[in-house]
C-alpha cells in the first residue's frame, strides 16, 4: 500500500523524538565533526527531520545550509 511509505500526521514528530536520538544522533555528530571552517555552504539531501542539519548548524553556525527532503512532512 502506498500510504505505508508516507511519513504524515504525528509520524515525523514521533520519529524525531524517539528514533532520531537512538538511530541518527551519533552519525549526525560524526558528520558535523568532519566539517571544516571552509565548509561555508552545505547542501543536505534526504534531510528527514533535520537531525544532521541541526548538528551541522551547531558545529558551523556561520555556514549556510540548504536542507531538503522528498517527504515534506519530514
Amino acid at each position: 500500500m502506498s500510504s505505508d511509505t508516507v511519513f504524515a500526521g504525528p509520524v515525523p514528530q514521533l520519529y524525531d523524538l524517539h528514533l532520531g536520538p537512538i538511530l541518527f544522533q551519533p552519525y549526525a555528530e560524526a558528520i558535523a565533526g568532519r566539517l571544516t571552517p571552509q565548509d561555508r555552504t552545505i547542501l543536505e539531501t534526504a534531510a528527514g527531520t533535520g537531525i544532521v542539519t541541526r548538528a551541522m548548524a551547531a558545529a558551523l553556525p556561520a555556514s549556510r545550509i540548504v536542507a531538503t527532503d522528498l517527504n515534506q512532512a519530514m
Side-chain angles (χ1 to χ4, degrees):
M1 186 169 229
S2 65
S3 65
D4 292 343
T5 60
V6 176
F7 291 100
V11 173
Q13 292 82 13
L14 293 172
Y15 182 95
D16 196 42
L17 182 65
H18 298 291
L19 290 177
I22 295 168
L23 296 177
F24 298 109
Q25 191 63 45
Y27 297 107
E29 292 170 10
I31 290 169
R34 293 177 185 215
L35 299 174
T36 68
Q38 290 78 26
D39 297 318
R40 306 294 293 168
T41 302
I42 300 165
L43 172 63
E44 180 186 7
T45 59
T49 60
I51 294 169
V52 175
T53 311
R54 289 189 296 274
M56 291 189 299
L60 290 176
S63 290
R64 179 174 179 255
I65 301 172
V66 175
T68 185
D69 196 281
L70 282 175
N71 188 314
Q72 189 171 355
M74 291 296 277

